[in-house]
Amino acid sequence: MSGKTYDLQDENVRLKVETVLNPSEDPEKVKKCLQYVANGCQPVLKDGRFEATCTGSLSLHHIRVGVRSKSSSAVLKKLLEWNRRGDLTWFFLNKQAAYSGVISLVEHYEESPLGPIKVTITSYNLDRIIEWLVSSR
């Protein structure tokens, strides 16, 4: 990454975050989780699931900052590459941690007791988005 600057303001990025709403959960708290994860997105409840879709690299800001602050960039990169299919990739986040304002990666669905938040990223230039997300610059 030496010498590269990642200016993705005009990058074509679509972010989708989704999670199940369990009967024991407060809908407003679950909505808050998704709003924290997906900067600028407005979650909608439909058929027992919250979902939010937004565009632009700014929607990924909290994820990028959170992963860098926890030194989880290598894990995120592994998950993004592992789950990649063409111009789409995804990973899970812990819902309870997100409610507290913490980005915590989850490798398997079962690791998040209330169900994880699934984050899906789509871009025609996914390599560049991945490098920006995990870069230390």
Side-chain angles (χ1 to χ4, degrees):
M1 297 311 119
S2 59
K4 282 190 177 180
T5 302
Y6 290 96
D7 178 15
L8 300 175
Q9 291 182 18
D10 297 324
E11 199 65 49
N12 181 7
V13 180
R14 180 174 173 262
L15 176 67
K16 178 180 177 183
V17 292
E18 58 189 315
T19 191
V20 65
L21 175 64
N22 294 299
S24 63
E25 293 179 303
D26 178 346
E28 287 304 311
K29 289 181 178 181
V30 175
K31 184 177 180 180
K32 179 184 172 187
C33 294
L34 294 186
Q35 287 173 322
Y36 174 73
V37 169
N39 189 38
C41 289
Q42 289 304 314
V44 176
L45 180 60
K46 182 180 179 185
D47 298 326
R49 297 184 65 76
F50 268 106
E51 184 177 303
T53 303
C54 46
T55 58
S57 61
L58 286 179
S59 62
L60 296 165
H61 175 74
H62 291 149
I63 295 169
R64 182 174 192 245
V65 170
V67 166
R68 289 169 65 192
S69 72
K70 292 189 70 171
S71 301
S72 302
S73 296
V75 175
L76 178 59
K77 186 169 185 170
K78 179 188 87 165
L79 293 172
L80 291 171
E81 294 296 344
W82 181 267
N83 296 319
R84 185 175 184 167
R85 301 292 178 267
D87 64 354
L88 180 146
T89 190
W90 60 271
F91 60 96
F92 291 133
L93 294 174
N94 183 289
K95 189 189 307 184
Q96 291 167 298
Y99 179 73
S100 299
V102 175
I103 297 295
S104 180
L105 298 168
V106 175
E107 290 192 47
H108 304 285
Y109 189 95
E110 303 79 23
E111 290 177 41
S112 189
L114 297 174
I117 297 170
K118 183 176 182 181
V119 179
T120 304
I121 302 169
T122 308
S123 176
Y124 66 87
N125 199 349
L126 197 53
D127 289 330
R128 187 171 177 198
I129 299 301
I130 291 171
E131 286 306 314
W132 174 78
L133 271 173
V134 301
S135 74
S136 59
R137 296 182 183 256

